[in-house]
């Protein structure tokens, strides 16, 4: 019968020998020096088997917290993933799901960063002691989410109007609920953001000349996109008071002018005076205004 000993302490029960075959005392997890004592079951004679086996328990890599992750807007640079600390002599492998991402990073005794990541999913980190090969999972995980940009719609409206008028309308052909739309004239905001309704939206009549654009911002994620196109508002000056005499004799003629030139002339009282529509040539007909 063969008895496993750790130091002087028996480990488990004795195992009966089988001539010509080796024996297995099973997996041992306690550190120490192991020997085997053999005892003849008939005579009681015993002897110590040759050699000593030492078992040491190597510690697992220390546990640190996975850091980073979060949401970012589509087309952006992604979000960082890291580890709150590290140990020299330990290598740290980042995983996306079950797939290793990049090369292992050696511990430095300080926090580690694995860079910015744009692929959505759950990231974990596995630590491996470079000497013992002992492996442990780091605590927690980091989730990367890609937030979509607001849908792009076409800006409508714009055009020209006469100075002193009510202006021209500017709007958007469609909109999304949960998205706010800010009108800009050049780089200057115009009014407050308008909430999307799922249908067309209007920013009202605009009187300031310039080029108008619209930026959409998702109210939850903060993701932004510029709407398609732009519209221009032009303020046309009204003609100044005409130049020429204010009194004209019946049967006399004169030519009136204005700034800017061009346009069409009309008389409000053709019984008193007539005028050429394109020429500004006036003929006095009868007394009157």
């Amino acid at each position: 019968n063969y008895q496993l000993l750790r130091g002087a302490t028996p480990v488990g029960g004795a195992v009966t020998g089988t001539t010509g075959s080796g024996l297995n005392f099973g997996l041992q997890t306690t550190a120490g020096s192991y020997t085997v004592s053999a005892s003849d079951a008939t005579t009681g004679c015993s002897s110590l088997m040759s050699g000593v086996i030492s078992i040491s328990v190597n510690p697992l890599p220390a546990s640190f917290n996975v850091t980073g992750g979060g949401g970012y807007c589509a087309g952006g640079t992604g979000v960082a993933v890291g580890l709150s600390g590290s140990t020299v002599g330990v290598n740290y492998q980042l995983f996306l799901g079950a797939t290793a991402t990049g090369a292992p990073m050696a511990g430095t005794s300080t926090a580690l960063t694995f860079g910015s990541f744009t692929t959505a999913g759950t990231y974990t980190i596995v630590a491996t002691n470079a000497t013992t090969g002992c492996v442990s999972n780091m605590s927690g995980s980091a989730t990367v989410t890609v937030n979509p940009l607001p849908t792009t719609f076409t800006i409508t409206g714009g055009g020209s109007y006469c100075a002193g008028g009510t202006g021209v309308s500017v709007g958007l052909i469609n909109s999304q609920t949960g998205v706010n739309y800010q009108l800009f004239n050049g780089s200057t905001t115009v009014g407050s953001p308008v909430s999307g309704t799922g249908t067309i939206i209007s920013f009202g009549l605009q009187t300031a000349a310039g080029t108008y654009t619209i930026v959409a911002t998702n109210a939850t994620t903060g993701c932004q996109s510029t709407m398609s196109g732009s519209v221009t508002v032009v303020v046309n000056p009204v003609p100044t008071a005409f130049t020429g005499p204010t009194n004209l004799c019946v049967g006399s003629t004169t030519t009136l002018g204005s700034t800017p030139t061009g346009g069409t002339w009309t008389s409000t009282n053709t019984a008193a005076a007539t005028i050429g529509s394109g020429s500004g040539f006036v003929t006095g007909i009868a007394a009157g205004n």
Side-chain angles (χ1 to χ4, degrees):
N1 296 319
Y2 298 84
Q3 178 63 57
L4 179 67
L5 303 172
R6 183 176 64 252
T9 304
V11 178
V15 178
T16 302
T18 56
T19 302
S21 299
L23 297 179
N24 189 340
F25 293 93
L27 297 172
Q28 305 300 317
T29 59
T30 303
S33 296
Y34 289 78
T35 57
V36 176
S37 175
S39 175
D40 188 288
T42 302
T43 66
C45 295
S46 64
S47 62
L48 196 64
M49 298 293 98
S50 175
V52 179
I53 296 298
S54 294
I55 294 177
S56 60
V57 181
N58 297 315
L60 298 178
S63 181
F64 299 102
N65 295 321
V66 179
T67 61
Y72 77 98
C73 299
T77 57
V79 291
V81 175
L83 195 62
S84 63
S86 64
T87 303
V88 173
V90 176
N91 296 320
Y92 298 87
Q93 178 64 61
L94 180 67
F95 284 84
L96 172 57
T99 304
T101 301
M105 183 172 292
T108 61
S109 295
T110 60
L112 300 178
T113 178
F114 292 85
S116 293
F117 295 88
T118 57
T119 303
T122 300
Y123 290 77
T124 56
I125 298 172
V126 175
T128 303
N129 187 295
T131 302
T132 66
C134 291
V135 175
S136 65
N137 295 323
M138 296 295 96
S139 178
S141 62
T143 300
V144 174
T145 304
V146 184
N147 296 317
L149 301 179
T151 302
T152 300
F153 299 111
T154 303
I155 301 174
T156 60
S160 60
Y161 75 100
C162 296
T166 57
V168 291
S169 64
V170 174
L172 197 59
I173 198 171
N174 204 345
S175 65
Q176 292 175 280
T177 56
V179 175
N180 297 321
Y181 298 85
Q182 178 64 62
L183 182 66
F184 286 83
N185 183 357
S187 60
T188 303
T189 58
V190 178
S192 300
V194 176
S195 298
T197 61
T199 60
I200 60 173
I201 55 176
S202 173
F203 293 88
L205 297 172
Q206 304 300 320
T207 58
T211 299
Y212 288 76
T213 55
I214 299 171
V215 174
T217 303
N218 185 293
T220 302
T221 65
C223 293
Q224 291 186 328
S225 60
T226 300
M227 297 294 96
S228 177
S230 62
V231 295
T232 301
V233 173
V234 177
V235 184
N236 294 321
V238 296
T240 59
F242 62 78
T243 58
T246 57
N247 293 290
L248 184 64
C249 295
V250 172
S252 297
T253 60
T254 189
T255 301
L256 301 179
S258 69
T259 304
T261 60
T264 301
W265 292 92
T266 58
S267 171
T268 61
N269 185 1
T270 55
T274 60
I275 188 168
S277 63
S279 66
F281 187 78
V282 184
T283 301
I285 305 298
N289 294 320

